[in-house]
Each structure stands twice: as C-alpha cells, then as structure tokens.
Amino acid sequence: MDEPRRVAEAVATLKLKHAVVTSVNRDDDNIGAAEVFAETIRQIRELTPIARWKCSSRFSRSRRCTEIVIDAKPEILNHNTETVPRLYRAVRSGARYQRTLDLLANVKSLLRGWCQRLRNGRIGEETDELLEVFRDLAKQKVDILTIGQYLRPSKDHLPMTRYYSPDEFRFLKQEALTMGFRHVESGPLVRSSYHAHEQAASTGLR
C-alpha cells in the first residue's frame, strides 16, 4: 500500500497548508478503503505536521469503517447529505436520510476531545426543504455547511429542476448562519471542498 506515502510526499513537496483526502469510489472494499484513508492521514501528519487536512468519507453504512478513519484523527471530517429527504431514493439509491443524521451524530460523539470540526456538503431543491435539512444538520452540531447548485453531468443523470439565483444563495447562507453553523459557503459553483483552507481557518483551525 504505497499510495498513502506518495500522497503525503506530494503534500510535503508542495508545502500545502491544507490537504483534502478524498477519492472517486470507496465502495469496492469498504474496510480496505477506510484503512487507506487512515494511513494517508497518518503519513501526512508525519511528513507535514503543520498541514491541516480534511477527510471526505462515504462510509455511511459501516460504523467500523468510520471508526477506522476517525482513529487516524482527521482535523475535519466531511460527509455529504447531498439532497432533501423527499428526493433521497432518487438521488442516493440505497441511502437513507435518517441514517445520514445518525452517522453525523455518532461521528460527532466519536470526535469529541480531539477532532476540531465536522463539515457537511449540501445540494438540494426547494427552499423550505433545504431550511429543514439545515435545521436537522445544526441539531447534529455540524460546524461547516456548503450549499451548491446541482449541475447535470450527462443525459444519464437526473435532470435539472431549477437554477438558484445568487440572491437565493445569499439568503440560504444567512438563514444557515442564524442556525448556529460556524461557517457557510453558499453559491452556484460551491462544492464540498470549496475554499477548504479558508473554511478551516474561519472555524479556528490555523
């Protein structure tokens, strides 16, 4: 398993202050993938102790996988909610909204005492539905919220239903901040790692 070392060396060579550890697919071998994530975090810490890192995890069906990653002590853990409960079956086949909330609650309790922040990415639909999801996430003590516009990658993906205006994104950000999130990124092109270093800095990670 040489990839964690090579990733850590790249972070050190580039003198990065903030690294996002993520991958396209984590479903072929969940335990093995979690171990690669964890070892990558450890290698980065060893070679670049001043760097901050975010781990983006999709191990929502396996508590053991999540524990493996958390044991490596990422400073920020990301888990994407993706959409609102009404659209879960269409957007996240096999996933369940309540299971996502349970994961966030469990992770927050496991992180207590050493990990700094839990962040959550969001792409959604109607405004009232989004605000309800924000309230649910705030109850789980999520610190950082990202709100973006779904853009259809191909004709094989779900069709667009609407575009949100910049004013609507500003409104969503203000509403979310009143709910207690420590940092909110909100805009058409925002994704879960958007301005990751600035997000960390704004919540006390420097």
Side-chain angles (χ1 to χ4, degrees):
M1 188 168 62
D2 194 45
E3 187 173 2
R5 178 190 60 79
R6 291 187 287 111
V7 170
E9 288 179 349
V11 171
T13 299
L14 294 170
K15 295 181 172 60
L16 299 182
K17 294 181 179 179
H18 191 98
V20 177
V21 181
T22 186
S23 67
V24 176
N25 191 331
R26 310 158 184 86
D27 300 325
D28 296 333
D29 177 6
N30 277 334
I31 294 293
E35 290 172 345
V36 171
F37 270 65
E39 184 58 25
T40 301
I41 294 168
R42 295 188 186 99
Q43 292 280 348
I44 292 173
R45 181 183 291 111
E46 181 177 338
L47 293 182
T48 316
I50 64 170
R52 306 299 184 188
W53 52 91
K54 182 204 83 172
C55 178
S56 183
S57 167
R58 291 180 188 166
F59 306 119
S60 59
R61 300 185 189 183
S62 172
R63 181 182 176 90
R64 178 57 189 145
C65 288
T66 302
E67 289 174 344
I68 289 172
V69 174
I70 288 174
D71 188 57
K73 298 180 174 59
E75 293 199 324
I76 298 175
L77 184 71
N78 179 75
H79 180 76
N80 290 335
T81 306
E82 299 291 358
T83 191
V84 298
R86 175 176 60 86
L87 299 175
Y88 242 62
R89 290 186 181 275
V91 174
R92 303 193 66 195
S93 178
R96 298 291 181 271
Y97 181 70
Q98 186 57 50
R99 188 162 60 199
T100 291
L101 295 182
D102 291 343
L103 171 71
L104 295 174
N106 290 336
V107 166
K108 195 68 176 185
S109 66
L110 291 170
L111 296 181
R112 187 174 298 126
W114 51 260
C115 187
Q116 301 293 324
R117 306 286 176 258
L118 175 67
R119 85 192 277 270
N120 188 276
R122 277 269 331 119
I123 302 173
E125 295 298 331
E126 299 301 328
T127 301
D128 60 337
E129 294 177 304
L130 290 173
L131 294 177
E132 189 59 37
V133 169
F134 297 172
R135 294 186 189 98
D136 287 341
L137 298 179
K139 289 176 183 177
Q140 305 308 324
K141 308 300 182 183
V142 171
D143 295 292
I144 302 172
L145 179 70
T146 56
I147 311 166
Q149 172 70 58
Y150 169 72
L151 300 174
R152 192 180 190 186
S154 74
K155 292 182 179 179
D156 295 327
H157 290 78
L158 292 173
M160 292 285 299
T161 56
R162 61 170 294 194
Y163 286 99
Y164 277 74
S165 70
D167 284 342
E168 288 176 299
F169 277 108
R170 282 189 285 271
F171 170 78
L172 290 172
K173 178 175 181 175
Q174 291 305 314
E175 289 296 304
L177 287 171
T178 65
M179 297 176 192
F181 293 99
R182 301 186 65 169
H183 185 88
V184 178
E185 291 282 353
S186 179
L189 300 181
V190 168
R191 295 297 179 262
S192 61
S193 297
Y194 187 80
H195 290 171
H197 180 256
E198 290 83 350
Q199 294 177 26
S202 73
T203 56
L205 283 175
R206 298 185 183 278

